[in-house]
Amino acid sequence: MQALSVAARIREKITAAFSPCTIQLEDQSPKHAGHAGAKPGGETHFHLEIVSPAFAGLSRVERQRRVHAALKDELEGPVHALSLSLKMPEEAA
Amino acid sequence: MPAPIADRIAAEVKDNPVMLYMKGTPDQPMCGFSATVVQVLKSMNVPFKGTNVLDDPELRQGIKDFSNWPTIPQLYIKGEFIGGCDIVREMHASGELKKLLQDKKILNVA
């Protein structure tokens, strides 16, 4: 069995943790080629947008902390940079 | 013996009303995310101190533990952790950052 890509693992973990209405993940690694943390295979720099009711009542900092916690292994491992946009459904409308 | 890293950080965020932990310096950021936050602060003419975590491996890990936040840059205003690049950018776009700086008497109300 082939190991899941980093992107696939991120999607899987976010889906499990936040039951998002929408999840958009963009591998921006090519834009960072040659920068610190970039690797030839990519999958080091991601932009992740999540719309989920699970963010209700949470500050911006708390929302990001929840995502960081869900993706702890990735952030400590292959992922060098992760920019986030975290919204509730009514905020995304 | 120097103060433990958490004490150093606590003193620095207390002594500097707008304190940015970043990669590189305000005049020469070494990372796009740090550069974005510097640009926001400069565009608002906010006086701030920027400390380069790349100069100090102990600080680079220490600030992550101190803030319970895994990435750099990190912005503090009057000792309060505000967030990283995404949050600073969102708060700038919505006007919340300006309001916060005014409420904290760091920026004058125009």
Side-chain angles (χ1 to χ4, degrees), chain B residues 53-100:
Chain B
V53 304
L54 300 178
D55 281 346
D56 184 343
E58 197 191 0
L59 177 63
R60 187 173 180 175
Q61 184 55 46
I63 189 65
K64 295 178 182 178
D65 297 336
F66 184 87
S67 307
N68 181 24
W69 198 258
T71 52
I72 311 290
Q74 297 187 12
L75 181 68
Y76 279 80
I77 295 178
K78 290 267 168 129
E80 184 194 349
F81 177 61
I82 302 303
C85 177
D86 297 319
I87 290 178
V88 170
R89 194 158 37 189
E90 283 177 16
M91 288 181 71
H92 181 50
S94 69
E96 283 166 272
L97 185 60
K98 187 175 177 190
K99 183 170 185 312
L100 178 68

Side-chain angles (χ1 to χ4, degrees), chain A residues 21 76 78:
Chain A
C21 313
E76 287 175 358

Side-chain angles (χ1 to χ4, degrees), chain B residues 16-22 25-27 29 33-51 73-78 82-85 87-89 91-93 96-98 100-102 106-107:
Chain B
N16 298 280
V18 182
M19 182 66 223
L20 178 65
Y21 293 92
M22 62 180 291
T25 63
D27 289 330
F33 301 103
S34 291
T36 298
V37 176
V38 165
Q39 209 175 5
V40 166
L41 295 174
K42 284 187 173 174
S43 77
M44 302 176 83
N45 288 317
V46 184
F48 68 98
K49 179 176 177 186
T51 291
Q74 297 187 12
L75 181 68
Y76 279 80
I77 295 178
K78 290 267 168 129
I82 302 303
C85 177
I87 290 178
V88 170
R89 194 158 37 189
M91 288 181 71
H92 181 50
E96 283 166 272
L97 185 60
K98 187 175 177 190
L100 178 68
L101 290 164
Q102 289 173 340
I106 296 164
L107 277 184

